[in-house]
């Protein structure tokens, strides 16, 4: 079945960068599939960060994170990556990757999701 | 940005109850509205997409209605496994945004 498996928890100091991976299995990664990244700070609502087209590498970012987030992919490894730089305490959150429920379609819901990666930013 | 407002923020219900959660968008989003269920420490699970399409594998007691700015998620007969937090999400325009969640608790 379609599965997204993310890398493990990270603890970072303010000002550092973090790179979270998301390995896909159970489907053809590059078949025009979009991969979204969403985060959820403790007690807060879900927050969309951006997506990458696994086929051509095109990206779309939320303006809030523009300049700090970079989403990439390695098609040979069927893996997407989200790197967030200049970390601050407010970036402490669980970060998720998620695929659109309809392949190659952006404007639909997300399913499945990765299991989440906790990133803690603390001095 | 499109603001998504859910009500209520929490509710208490019993097994077998009919539960209704509403989501309002700050501008018209057509049918580009999705609903998720989330349990503590777990990733969200898609229940409904495109306002009323039931995701594969989701029980038929879940249903979604609405268009434009006002949407509703209904659980026709609440089951034990349905106690969770429910969130709406608009996929009409960027940035994609989520509602603040509705926590369904046991009465």
């Amino acid at each position: 079945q379609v599965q997204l498996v993310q890398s493990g928890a990270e603890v970072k100091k303010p000002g550092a960068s973090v790179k979270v991976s998301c390995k896909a299995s159970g489907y053809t990664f590059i078949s025009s599939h979009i991969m979204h990244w969403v985060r959820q700070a403790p007690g807060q609502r879900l927050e969309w960060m951006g997506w990458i087209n696994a086929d051509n590498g095109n990206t779309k970012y939320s303006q809030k994170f523009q300049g700090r987030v970079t989403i990439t992919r390695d098609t040979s490894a069927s893996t997407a990556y989200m790197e967030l730089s200049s970390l601050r305490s407010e970036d402490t959150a669980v970060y998720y990757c998620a695929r659109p429920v309809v392949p190659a379609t952006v404007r639909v819901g997300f399913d499945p999701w990765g299991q989440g990666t906790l990133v803690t930013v603390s001095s | 940005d499109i603001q998504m407002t859910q009500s209520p923020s929490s509710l208490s219900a019993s097994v077998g109850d009919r539960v209704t959660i509403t989501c309002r968008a700050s501008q018209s989003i057509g049918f580009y509205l999705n609903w998720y269920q989330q349990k503590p420490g777990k990733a969200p699970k898609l229940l409904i997409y495109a306002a009323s399409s039931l995701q594969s594998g989701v029980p038929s007691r879940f249903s979604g209605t609405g268009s434009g700015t006002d949407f509703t998620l209904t659980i026709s007969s609440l089951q034990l496994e349905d106690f969770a937090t429910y969130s709406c999400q608009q996929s009409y325009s960027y940035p994609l945004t989520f509602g603040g969640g509705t926590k369904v608790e046991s009465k």
Side-chain angles (χ1 to χ4, degrees):
Chain A
Q1 77 280 19
V2 177
Q3 197 173 6
L4 303 176
V5 177
Q6 299 182 220
S7 48
E10 303 260 14
V11 179
K12 296 292 182 180
K13 292 194 183 301
S17 296
V18 68
K19 190 171 186 177
V20 179
S21 68
C22 171
K23 182 171 177 61
S25 62
Y27 72 97
T28 305
F29 183 68
I30 63 170
S31 297
S32 299
H33 274 299
I34 303 294
M35 190 72 78
H36 291 272
W37 287 89
V38 176
R39 77 177 188 179
Q40 188 170 37
Q44 301 300 307
R45 69 181 64 193
L46 295 155
E47 187 172 33
W48 176 78
M49 301 180 71
W51 58 251
I52 187 166
N53 183 317
D55 187 15
N56 58 25
N58 287 347
T59 55
K60 177 74 173 178
Y61 299 131
S62 168
Q63 194 72 12
K64 174 175 179 176
F65 300 101
Q66 196 84 36
R68 280 209 306 144
V69 69
T70 305
I71 301 175
T72 57
R73 93 288 191 219
D74 178 346
T75 56
S76 65
S78 297
T79 300
Y81 302 91
M82 186 285 300
E83 184 170 20
L84 188 62
S85 62
S86 302
L87 290 169
R88 35 212 189 225
S89 59
E90 310 89 89
D91 294 318
T92 294
V94 176
Y95 290 77
Y96 295 100
C97 59
R99 202 197 73 170
V101 65
V102 177
T105 305
V106 177
R107 299 169 81 183
V108 290
F110 306 158
D111 184 83
W113 294 59
Q115 83 276 19
T117 296
L118 175 63
V119 174
T120 303
V121 183
S122 174
S123 54
Chain B
D1 298 3
I2 296 176
Q3 309 304 316
M4 306 301 293
T5 304
Q6 287 183 234
S7 60
S9 56
S10 66
L11 64 90
S12 297
S14 301
V15 171
D17 285 353
R18 182 181 183 86
V19 170
T20 300
I21 298 167
T22 63
C23 179
R24 175 164 288 176
S26 60
Q27 65 186 74
S28 179
I29 59 171
F31 294 94
Y32 293 99
L33 191 284
N34 313 297
W35 289 99
Y36 299 88
Q37 176 193 69
Q38 190 174 21
K39 296 182 178 179
K42 299 294 187 182
K45 172 188 174 183
L46 179 66
L47 300 174
I48 302 284
Y49 63 97
S52 61
S53 294
L54 190 68
Q55 168 62 347
S56 175
V58 174
S60 59
R61 62 180 179 272
F62 291 93
S63 64
T65 60
S67 66
T69 60
D70 294 308
F71 301 86
T72 299
L73 173 71
T74 300
I75 309 172
S76 60
S77 178
L78 193 70
Q79 300 301 300
L80 203 59
E81 60 269 29
D82 300 337
F83 291 104
T85 297
Y86 295 84
S87 296
C88 60
Q89 176 221 359
Q90 65 84 14
S91 48
Y92 177 76
S93 71
Y94 295 112
L96 308 182
T97 49
F98 292 82
T102 296
K103 187 173 184 179
V104 177
E105 299 174 301
S106 178
K107 185 182 288 184

